[in-house]
Amino acid sequence: MYTLKYVKQFENEHWSRAAGHRWAVHDISMKQWRLKVTLEGTAYWQLSVFFREDGTFLKFSLDYEAEDDSHYEFTGEERIRDLIYKPGDERLLFDEILTQYIAVHGGWSALELIRPFMTAQFHY
């Protein structure tokens, strides 16, 4: 389970293409923390996990980072976990499960998986 304490430990990390790499950013103006996790080796697909400064979980975002970026905010972690469950997943963080899923099915399939749980989309 993600916590603000967990997120803060990655504050001094820098971006990497390596699947599973984590780094965190503190947005002082928005009063929130953001953990980013690279989900596959091209680094197009990333998961963002947002927390308020008081430690309250805010949201997830599946991010497609290319020439034109897309961000898909969603909820429903437990329901998504249920859809793709494999024995042993209960010991894994959500990003680790998505990394495994994307390795087999691809990022676009992960996007379709979360689509019913989306709360917002942003395209730049």
Side-chain angles (χ1 to χ4, degrees), residues 5-6 15 19 31 34 37 47 55-56 62 82-83 85 91 109 113 117 124:
K5 181 179 178 181
Y6 176 81
W15 177 82
K31 298 182 178 171
R34 179 182 190 179
V37 184
L47 179 71
T56 307
L62 182 62
D82 289 345
L83 291 173
Y85 177 80
R91 295 186 304 269
S109 182
L113 180 71
F117 308 99
Y124 307 100

Side-chain angles (χ1 to χ4, degrees), residues 30-74:
M30 299 274 299
K31 298 182 178 171
Q32 65 186 20
W33 284 81
R34 179 182 190 179
L35 174 69
K36 292 204 65 160
V37 184
T38 304
L39 297 176
E40 43 72 50
T42 66
Y44 286 132
W45 293 99
Q46 299 171 13
L47 179 71
S48 292
V49 185
F50 293 88
F51 281 88
R52 291 185 181 96
E53 286 180 335
D54 68 3
T56 307
F57 172 78
L58 227 122
K59 62 189 168 190
F60 288 107
S61 178
L62 182 62
D63 306 325
Y64 182 71
E65 305 281 349
E67 288 181 32
D68 297 322
D69 293 351
S70 296
H71 303 270
Y72 305 93
E73 295 179 1
F74 65 97

Side-chain angles (χ1 to χ4, degrees), residues 6-14 22-25 35:
Y6 176 81
V7 170
K8 285 182 175 182
Q9 71 182 334
F10 299 101
E11 182 178 16
N12 295 317
E13 293 291 321
H14 299 284
R22 294 163 169 73
W23 71 101
V25 177
L35 174 69

